[in-house]
Coordinates of all heavy atoms in Angstrom, one line a residue:
D592 N -55.6 26.1 -44.9 CA -56.4 25.4 -45.9 C -56.6 23.9 -45.6 O -56.3 23.5 -44.4 CB -55.8 25.6 -47.3 CG -54.4 25.1 -47.4 OD1 -54.0 24.3 -46.6 OD2 -53.7 25.5 -48.4
K594 N -55.0 21.2 -46.5 CA -53.9 20.3 -46.7 C -53.6 19.5 -45.4 O -53.6 20.0 -44.3 CB -52.6 21.1 -47.0 CG -52.6 21.6 -48.4 CD -51.2 22.1 -48.8 CE -50.8 23.4 -48.2 NZ -49.5 23.9 -48.7
T598 N -45.1 21.4 -44.9 CA -43.7 21.5 -44.6 C -43.5 22.8 -43.9 O -43.9 23.9 -44.3 CB -42.8 21.6 -45.9 OG1 -43.0 20.3 -46.6 CG2 -41.4 21.8 -45.6
I599 N -43.0 22.7 -42.6 CA -42.8 23.9 -41.8 C -41.4 24.4 -41.7 O -41.1 25.5 -41.2 CB -43.5 23.8 -40.4 CG1 -42.9 22.6 -39.7 CG2 -45.0 23.6 -40.6 CD1 -43.3 22.6 -38.2
Q602 N -34.0 22.5 -44.6 CA -32.6 22.8 -44.4 C -31.8 22.0 -45.4 O -32.1 20.8 -45.6 CB -32.2 22.5 -43.0 CG -30.7 22.6 -42.8 CD -30.3 22.2 -41.4 OE1 -30.9 22.6 -40.4 NE2 -29.3 21.4 -41.3
K604 N -29.4 21.5 -49.3 CA -29.6 21.4 -50.7 C -29.3 20.0 -51.2 O -30.2 19.3 -51.7 CB -28.8 22.5 -51.4 CG -29.3 23.9 -51.1 CD -28.8 24.9 -52.1 CE -29.2 26.3 -51.7 NZ -30.5 26.7 -52.1
I610 N -39.0 19.3 -41.9 CA -39.9 19.0 -40.8 C -41.3 19.2 -41.4 O -41.7 20.3 -41.9 CB -39.7 20.0 -39.6 CG1 -38.3 19.9 -39.2 CG2 -40.7 19.6 -38.5 CD1 -37.8 18.6 -38.7
N614 N -51.5 18.4 -40.2 CA -52.5 19.4 -39.8 C -53.7 18.9 -39.1 O -54.5 19.7 -38.7 CB -52.8 20.3 -41.0 CG -51.7 21.2 -41.4 OD1 -50.9 21.7 -40.5 ND2 -51.5 21.4 -42.7
L619 N -45.2 16.1 -35.5 CA -44.1 16.5 -36.4 C -43.4 15.3 -36.9 O -43.1 14.3 -36.1 CB -43.2 17.4 -35.7 CG -43.8 18.7 -35.2 CD1 -42.8 19.5 -34.3 CD2 -44.2 19.6 -36.4
M621 N -39.9 14.1 -39.5 CA -38.7 14.6 -40.2 C -38.4 13.7 -41.4 O -38.5 12.5 -41.3 CB -37.4 14.5 -39.3 CG -36.2 15.1 -40.0 SD -34.7 15.1 -39.0 CE -34.4 13.4 -38.8
L624 N -33.8 13.6 -47.4 CA -33.6 13.2 -48.7 C -32.1 13.4 -49.1 O -31.6 14.5 -48.9 CB -34.5 14.1 -49.7 CG -36.0 14.0 -49.4 CD1 -36.6 15.2 -50.2 CD2 -36.5 12.7 -49.9
S625 N -31.5 12.4 -49.6 CA -30.1 12.5 -50.1 C -30.0 11.8 -51.5 O -31.0 11.3 -52.0 CB -29.2 11.8 -49.1 OG -29.4 10.4 -49.1
G628 N -31.0 8.0 -51.3 CA -32.2 7.4 -50.6 C -32.9 8.5 -49.8 O -32.6 9.7 -49.9
G630 N -35.6 9.0 -46.0 CA -36.1 8.4 -44.8 C -37.1 9.4 -44.1 O -37.0 10.6 -44.2
L631 N -38.2 8.8 -43.5 CA -39.2 9.6 -42.9 C -39.4 8.9 -41.5 O -39.6 7.7 -41.4 CB -40.5 9.5 -43.7 CG -41.7 10.2 -43.1 CD1 -41.5 11.7 -43.1 CD2 -43.0 9.8 -43.8
V635 N -39.9 12.5 -31.8 CA -40.4 12.1 -30.4 C -39.6 12.9 -29.4 O -38.5 13.4 -29.6 CB -40.2 10.6 -30.1 CG1 -41.1 9.8 -31.1 CG2 -38.8 10.1 -30.2
G639 N -40.2 9.3 -25.6 CA -40.7 8.6 -26.7 C -42.1 8.9 -27.2 O -42.6 8.2 -28.1
L642 N -43.8 14.4 -30.9 CA -43.7 15.8 -30.7 C -44.9 16.4 -31.4 O -45.2 16.1 -32.6 CB -42.4 16.4 -31.3 CG -41.2 16.2 -30.5 CD1 -40.0 16.8 -31.2 CD2 -41.3 16.8 -29.1
V643 N -45.6 17.4 -30.8 CA -46.7 18.1 -31.4 C -46.2 19.6 -31.5 O -45.7 20.1 -30.6 CB -47.9 18.0 -30.5 CG1 -49.0 18.9 -31.1 CG2 -48.4 16.6 -30.4
D644 N -46.5 20.2 -32.6 CA -46.1 21.6 -32.9 C -46.7 22.5 -31.9 O -47.9 22.4 -31.7 CB -46.6 22.0 -34.3 CG -46.1 23.3 -34.7 OD1 -45.5 24.1 -33.9 OD2 -46.3 23.7 -35.9

Side-chain angles (χ1 to χ4, degrees):
D592 56 18
K594 288 195 280 183
T598 300
I599 60 170
Q602 174 183 312
K604 294 199 186 271
I610 304 297
N614 285 325
L619 299 174
M621 183 176 67
L624 301 166
S625 66
L631 177 71
V635 298
L642 285 179
V643 176
D644 187 353

